[in-house]
Amino acid sequence: MSPDEFRAHGHELVEWIARYLETVRDRAVLPEVNPGEVIDALPAQGPEQGEPFSQILEDFNDTILPGSTLWNHPRFFSYFAVSSTPPSMLAEFLSAALNQNGILWKSGPALTELEQVVLGWIREWIHLPEDFFGIIYDSASNSTLHALIAARQSVSPRTRQEGALQNLMVYTSGQAHSSVEKDALALGFGEANIRKIAHDAEFRLSLPDLEAALEADVKAGKIPCCIVPTIGATPTASIDPVVDMIALARRYGCWAHIDAAYAGPVALLDEKSWIFQGWEQADSIVLNPHKWMFVNVDTSVLYIRRKDQLSDAIGLTPEYLKTKADPRMINYMDYSISLGRRFRALKLWMTLRYYGREGIADLIRSHIEMAGRLKDQIAADPRFEVVAPVHFGLVCFRMKDSNEKNQKLMDTLNASGFAFLSHTVQNGQYVLRFSIGNWMTTQQDVEQTWERIQKVAAEL
Ligand code: PLP
């Protein structure tokens, strides 16, 4: 593609995106598409000859867009709602043009140093001390995987030479995200060595149960390796007793890793600082800027106190990547399973600079306020009940009716395309999750969706 052609198509695409942002509210959040439909609409064989970009764009409009769930829609209230803001989109454009690969400092000096700078800003904003080293991975699942690698290295330093011990234990809540268990499985801890602790009435991990499990395991010759509290657990955004869990980790000589993938960015808000008090005593913390800091997927940050535990466990430098050491030089490959590294810091940098700390905090605050108002409206309707405390942007509620009716309510709403909610099952009850986190969401979006929910409920 010549520079002139690129210029023309580039302008066209920027225009496409601007128009998309202007009109996305009128589109269906969930596509009306059946499994296999996108595959059937596309040729099974790749093109022998190149095709005009205008034709490719036409097929994007006709096939890819109608087959896409619109995560960047102001009434996407499913899972944990996330956003891609314009500065983040523009940064991705630039990042693709530079095509950096930050294996080593030398292979991407600006990438490596910008990652440290921008993660230093966030670290200060969320009140973590400077001895937390920051690193970006693609997902919270991957961040937690690396935290568990470091945890295992710290508790069992001979793992690298001799392989993993079979009696190392991981503790988390039954409400924790499945990535904790999946990561532990991938590392070979074994299902029998992953304890999913019960929770209390507010969906917080039960400390007495955790303590009892630790005590019993130690008596049985097991070795506690890692305790994982969550701030903002996936089903109801509950908050585990972080400080007490870290204290137990200290008492039993194991690692404490906090999963704050969703709610971590809320630490920017002074009025919410009580939630994060004491979290700086953890060994590692994950938070996802791609969840609630308005950059597009894939941006997850791990803050880790002893990064040497990672390099001790998985650091490996083949001859062709050896470079002269320098005290100011970091080679991110020493702390990561993947060798290559995208320039994710660029979109973080551009987005944080565009909004500033206050702008990001104001957006998050507006989502939390919308969730608070929605909670009050739901609580005021005698047909419904709110089933979990609302600390963040998530409201969990249900009709005071059967599970089938609640599922029908959600399916009917989602099928309308107007909004998209997800669900959880808690204490045997089907619960609807209304998650507010998109930068375009307005109070009107929330109210109109709540009105639709009420209307559907009346019709059921
Ligand atoms: N932790 C929590 C609390 C989550 O809610 C999620 C996903 O929603 C994850 C971890 C996994 O995130 P990722 O998709 O970035 O792996």
Side-chain angles (χ1 to χ4, degrees):
M1 191 181 280
S2 71
D4 277 344
E5 275 179 286
F6 177 80
R7 196 168 279 120
H9 294 310
H11 286 306
E12 203 183 339
L13 274 194
V14 169
E15 182 52 38
W16 189 99
I17 295 170
R19 213 169 43 243
Y20 174 80
L21 293 175
E22 282 165 356
T23 57
V24 62
R25 194 171 260 104
D26 303 327
R27 292 178 181 275
V29 190
L30 267 182
E32 271 188 63
V33 68
N34 294 311
E37 210 172 306
V38 175
I39 295 175
D40 292 345
L42 297 171
Q45 271 84 41
E48 284 298 317
Q49 270 83 45
E51 300 176 66
F53 197 74
S54 52
Q55 179 61 53
I56 303 170
L57 199 52
E58 210 171 287
D59 291 345
F60 171 83
N61 280 315
D62 293 346
T63 309
I64 306 302
L65 182 62
S68 297
T69 299
L70 299 186
W71 281 73
N72 216 11
H73 188 298
R75 289 188 303 276
F76 183 104
F77 298 125
S78 198
Y79 314 125
F80 279 133
V82 303
S83 303
S84 173
T85 52
S88 166
M89 296 173 203
L90 293 173
E92 280 289 49
F93 212 17
L94 276 181
S95 166
L98 285 185
N99 199 26
Q100 293 294 283
N101 192 345
I103 301 170
L104 302 160
W105 179 87
K106 192 179 170 189
S107 75
L111 177 156
T112 304
E113 297 191 7
L114 190 63
E115 189 156 328
Q116 288 163 66
V117 169
V118 87
L119 298 190
W121 292 355
I122 297 177
R123 183 178 55 213
E124 198 186 338
W125 290 352
I126 61 175
H127 314 294
L128 291 180
E130 277 184 14
D131 62 341
F132 272 102
F133 168 77
I135 178 167
I136 303 178
Y137 299 106
D138 60 347
S139 61
S141 306
N142 210 2
S143 292
T144 294
L145 180 75
H146 284 81
L148 287 178
I149 291 171
R152 187 166 68 182
Q153 181 64 25
S154 77
V155 170
S156 170
R158 298 289 304 159
T159 302
R160 179 169 184 142
Q161 293 76 25
E162 295 165 7
L165 295 173
Q166 290 308 297
N167 56 352
L168 298 178
M169 306 296 295
V170 174
Y171 302 84
T172 195
S173 159
Q175 297 280 310
H177 189 262
S178 52
S179 54
V180 178
E181 185 177 1
K182 198 184 239 194
D183 290 339
L185 291 176
L187 290 175
F189 280 88
E191 270 178 357
N193 291 3
I194 305 166
R195 296 264 180 269
K196 289 190 264 177
I197 307 296
H199 56 81
D200 67 13
E202 294 196 353
F203 306 99
R204 298 172 296 206
L205 174 136
S206 154
L207 271 179
D209 284 301
L210 174 59
E211 209 169 341
L214 283 158
E215 208 45 46
D217 285 341
V218 170
K219 274 204 187 110
K222 308 259 187 196
I223 303 173
C225 178
C226 191
I227 296 178
V228 186
T230 307
I231 301 179
T234 316
T236 70
S238 54
I239 305 167
D240 284 337
V242 172
V243 174
D244 291 326
M245 289 172 74
I246 296 174
L248 281 176
R250 296 294 156 260
R251 193 187 325 154
Y252 286 89
C254 66
W255 191 275
H257 169 66
I258 300 177
D259 181 354
Y262 162 63
V266 178
L268 257 67
L269 275 56
D270 292 339
E271 67 272 26
K272 292 285 182 183
S273 61
W274 61 273
I275 292 174
F276 300 90
Q277 239 143 40
W279 78 329
E280 72 284 351
Q281 292 160 35
D283 297 292
S284 56
I285 298 172
V286 56
L287 62 96
N288 273 10
H290 77 218
K291 286 204 198 302
W292 218 357
M293 264 190 185
F294 312 109
V295 296
N296 56 309
V297 279
D298 48 355
T299 317
S300 175
V301 174
L302 180 72
Y303 285 110
I304 178 165
R305 269 224 149 85
R306 286 171 286 156
K307 70 176 189 310
D308 55 302
Q309 299 296 329
L310 271 178
S311 51
D312 286 353
I314 55 171
L316 199 64
T317 310
E319 183 56 38
Y320 76 105
L321 291 174
K322 286 190 178 144
T323 49
K324 261 196 240 144
D326 183 293
R328 296 204 65 190
M329 200 170 84
I330 279 177
N331 295 322
Y332 271 115
M333 62 171 266
D334 293 340
Y335 312 104
S336 168
I337 294 172
S338 66
L339 183 68
R341 162 162 302 267
R342 281 179 13 81
F343 202 171
R344 300 186 186 97
L346 189 66
K347 59 187 170 186
L348 207 43
W349 183 61
M350 290 194 163
T351 305
L352 297 185
R353 283 190 64 184
Y354 181 82
Y355 289 99
R357 191 196 61 79
E358 281 185 14
I360 301 271
D362 285 348
L363 258 181
I364 294 175
R365 185 177 292 114
S366 75
H367 295 154
I368 296 175
E369 286 170 358
M370 284 184 227
R373 285 191 285 270
L374 174 65
K375 179 198 77 176
D376 292 342
Q377 284 178 308
I378 295 173
D381 186 327
R383 294 169 299 170
F384 288 88
E385 60 184 336
V386 175
V387 301
V390 177
H391 299 294
F392 305 114
L394 177 69
V395 184
C396 290
F397 68 101
R398 64 189 307 278
M399 255 195 307
K400 294 175 188 160
D401 210 316
S402 66
N403 284 350
E404 291 69 30
K405 277 265 178 69
N406 275 283
Q407 182 167 3
K408 188 97 196 290
L409 169 62
M410 191 186 76
D411 290 347
T412 310
L413 178 82
N414 290 350
S416 75
F418 186 75
F420 178 29
L421 268 61
S422 60
H423 80 281
T424 179
V425 174
Q426 294 298 328
N427 305 319
Q429 291 189 321
Y430 197 92
V431 172
L432 277 68
R433 298 172 70 265
F434 194 130
S435 168
I436 302 169
N438 188 282
W439 68 286
M440 288 178 279
T441 302
T442 61
Q443 181 63 30
Q444 198 184 22
D445 288 312
V446 175
E447 275 173 19
Q448 287 177 343
T449 304
W450 169 232
E451 281 161 20
R452 294 248 178 160
I453 292 170
Q454 288 176 302
K455 192 163 168 279
V456 176
E459 285 163 7
L460 284 180

